[in-house]
């Protein structure tokens, strides 16, 4: 193993206390105008169009990439019953593989634990775990009982000194809500920031061990120094490895995980990638696991879900066209992209209402974002905000023509989703939705006022308002209530704004989104952003300095969000928070390389092709 030493991470932002910790904010001054800007000057910062009443700014976003005719021309033969029947037979055979593991065919305690963990890990990465919930629970209960009985898990006191099974166990158990401490990694620490692997491991085994250490380090909580050390060490080690060796199944897995990590990966994208690299070297000690059948089942499930995606996508496209949005050339048309994100993490076929609702909500948010930030006048925005607060079809009487249809579609869509939620939740939830929309549009009005006056608010004021104006709450609330998971009031309070969980998720997306959008927004006359507000209060910093600061802040907030999701909490189980967490991951994915919602012609377009439009070859 390479002898590596590491330096501590520089942290311009700090967190304090134990779980959950909070990012410390400075006391900031009140809002002051950045400069005097007249409306005519603002218009010059971007393209402008004129009508009889006003000169309007437009952002010149590229048009819709997915024509309605093209979407409705899609077809697939994977709806045929024969594919589902074959998948059901394979599910039974994979369950028998679990039984063989439980029957104790492994020779040593280590191989016994590793067999169970590896089976669970592979099934989850292949995207077929929903069929094996009982088997997975049984396997992890067994591992956890061994873990707790020995105090430090698979550690030296049990006679097994193995970093690989410890790291994989820590990651897998933690993600399933088991109370496991990262302190089990302490026993493997060596000098100068290194971690010691087994002396009897092969080079390939050592690399896989460090790979699993890296994967475990990504699911860190606040103030876990050993996890930070593990991530630094494993990152350096794996980068050096990738530079030296030829392309292989393992190297491709490492490249994928190092590229997307945990918080920007998507289960369906990961499954599609893993199918191409999954092979016999994954579990060589488990001869009774039929790799070919696991892989066949994964591909069948991928393609059967592909047929469901096509039906739902046609519904979304028809809704988009019938709504009249297709005629609006000043807004972004990203309904297909938003549906793709939803179908990449909500991969249970039964969650159709969630996927469709998420796509519609996100598209509505985007339309309103373009109206409030660029196209609409202050008077029009005030009228629209008041109309939404009235919540009556007749409120369109006071609106300009282009807003009438937007209001009607918003009103009808929100009410339709409330009816779906009434069936799943057994109560009327329309007031939840109305309050969320009112707060959302109020936050937009505040930003519109900043734009019209040239005011640059304090960082704190902008950030708190921005967590609402980003639209995370809107995209999460009604789609989540459409699922067959119970959300009584006390649980809803744990995930809805202003809960700590919701605030963290919204904060991550606001900060990350601003790092990708602030330059284009500024060119359109939208001066306020996390970057510009922070720079105003820290005049010695460059834009690059502030972006780096915000990246560190986002990393800290992700650790806090991990804790909020996975902490032992009888009031709000993981299942009630997981979709809200995954929305944050999915939207974050769109900001990985650029603002993928304004420029959807690159990575997001590829995501649509790979995960929605193209089946995997059988």
């Amino acid at each position: 193993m390479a002898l590596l030493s590491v330096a501590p991470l520089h942290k311009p932002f700090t967190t304090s206390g134990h779980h959950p910790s909070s990012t410390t904010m400075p006391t900031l001054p009140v809002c002051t105008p950045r400069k005097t800007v007249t409306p005519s000057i603002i218009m010059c910062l971007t393209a402008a169009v004129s009508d009889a009443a006003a000169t309007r700014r437009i952002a010149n976003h590229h048009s819709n990439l997915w024509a309605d005719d093209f979407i409705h021309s899609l077809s697939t033969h994977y709806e045929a019953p024969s594919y589902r029947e074959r998948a059901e037979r394979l599910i039974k055979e994979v369950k028998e593989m679990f039984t063989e593991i439980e029957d104790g065919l492994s020779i040593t305690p280590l191989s016994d634990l590793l067999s169970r963990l590896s089976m669970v890990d592979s099934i989850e990465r292949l995207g077929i775990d929903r069929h094996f919930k009982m088997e997975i629970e049984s396997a992890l209960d067994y591992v956890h009982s061994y873990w707790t009985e020995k105090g430090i898990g698979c550690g030296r006191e049990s006679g097994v000194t193995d970093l690989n099974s410890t790291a994989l166990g820590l990651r897998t158990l933690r993600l399933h809500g088991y109370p496991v401490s990262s302190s089990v990694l302490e026993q493997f620490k060596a000098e100068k920031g290194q971690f010691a692997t087994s002396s009897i491991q092969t080079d390939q085994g050592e690399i896989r061990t460090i790979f699993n250490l890296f994967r475990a380090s990504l699911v860190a909580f606040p103030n876990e120094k050993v996890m930070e050390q593990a991530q630094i060490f494993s990152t350096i080690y794996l980068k050096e490895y990738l530079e030296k060796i030829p392309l292989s199944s393992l190297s491709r897995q490492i490249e994928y995980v190092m590229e997307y990590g945990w918080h920007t990966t998507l289960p369906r994208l990961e499954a599609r990638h893993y199918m191409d690299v999954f092979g016999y070297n994954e579990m060589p000690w488990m001869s009774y696991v039929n790799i070919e059948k696991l892989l066949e089942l994964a591909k069948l499930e991928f393609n059967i879900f592909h047929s469901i995606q096509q039906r739902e996508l046609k519904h979304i496209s028809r809704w988009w066209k019938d709504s009249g949005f297709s005629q609006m050339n000043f807004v972004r048309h990203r309904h297909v992209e938003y549906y793709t994100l939803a179908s990449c993490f909500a991969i249970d076929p039964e969650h159709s209402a969630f996927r469709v609702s998420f796509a519609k909500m996100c598209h509505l948010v985007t339309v309103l974002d373009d109206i409030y930030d660029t196209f609409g006048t202050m008077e029009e925005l005030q009228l629209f905000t008041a109309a939404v607060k009235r919540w009556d079809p007749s409120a369109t009487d006071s609106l300009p023509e282009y807003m009438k249809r937007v209001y009607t579609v918003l009103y009808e869509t929100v009410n339709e989703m409330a009816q779906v939620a009434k069936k799943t939740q057994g109560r009327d939830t329309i007031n939840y939705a109305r309050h969320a929309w009112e707060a959302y549009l109020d936050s937009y009005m505040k930003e519109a006022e900043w734009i019209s006056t040239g005011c640059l608010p304090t960082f704190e004021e902008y950030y708190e308002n921005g967590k609402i104006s980003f639209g995370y709450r809107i995209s999460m609330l009604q789609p989540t209530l459409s699922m067959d998971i119970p959300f009584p009031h006390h649980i809803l309070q744990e995930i809805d704004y202003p809960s700590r969980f919701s605030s963290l998720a919204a904060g991550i997306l606001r900060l990350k989104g601003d790092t990708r959008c602030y330059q284009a927004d500024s060119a359109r006359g939208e001066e306020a952003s996390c970057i510009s507000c922070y720079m105003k209060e820290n005049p010695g910093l460059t834009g690059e300095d502030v972006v780096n600061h915000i990246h560190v802040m986002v990393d800290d907030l992700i650790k806090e969000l991990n804790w909020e999701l996975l902490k032992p909490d009888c009031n709000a189980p993981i299942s009630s928070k997981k979709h809200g967490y995954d929305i944050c991951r999915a939207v974050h994915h769109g900001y990985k390389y650029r603002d993928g919602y304004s420029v959807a012609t690159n990575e997001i377009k590829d995501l649509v092709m790979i995960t929605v439009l193209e089946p995997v070859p059988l």
Side-chain angles (χ1 to χ4, degrees), residues 381-394:
L381 303 183
Q382 291 165 351
L383 290 172
F384 193 90
T385 303
V388 171
K389 291 183 178 181
R390 276 187 60 194
W391 204 250
D392 188 280
S394 66

Side-chain angles (χ1 to χ4, degrees), residues 50-94:
S50 297
D51 57 28
T55 301
R56 303 180 183 278
R57 295 180 303 126
I58 57 173
N60 284 331
H61 296 298
H62 68 74
S63 61
N64 174 41
L65 301 178
W66 315 100
D68 181 65
D69 289 344
F70 167 73
I71 295 298
H72 280 86
S73 72
L74 297 174
S75 63
T76 178
H77 58 272
Y78 290 104
E79 290 180 313
S82 59
Y83 292 104
R84 182 74 267 162
E85 291 166 2
R86 174 58 180 160
E88 292 297 333
R89 290 195 295 271
L90 287 168
I91 290 168
K92 292 180 180 179
E93 293 182 37
V94 174

Side-chain angles (χ1 to χ4, degrees), residues 36 89 121 128 134-135 169 175 182 211 219 271 322 339 360 379 396 407 421 423 455 458 498 503 517 525 529 548 556:
T36 302
R89 290 195 295 271
D121 185 54
I128 55 177
M134 292 180 59
E135 289 78 12
L175 287 176
S182 60
F211 178 44
V219 195
D322 293 346
Y339 173 77
K360 291 180 179 180
E379 181 181 0
T396 57
Y407 177 87
K423 294 178 181 178
C455 175
T458 67
S503 179
C517 305
S529 69
N548 289 335
D556 288 343

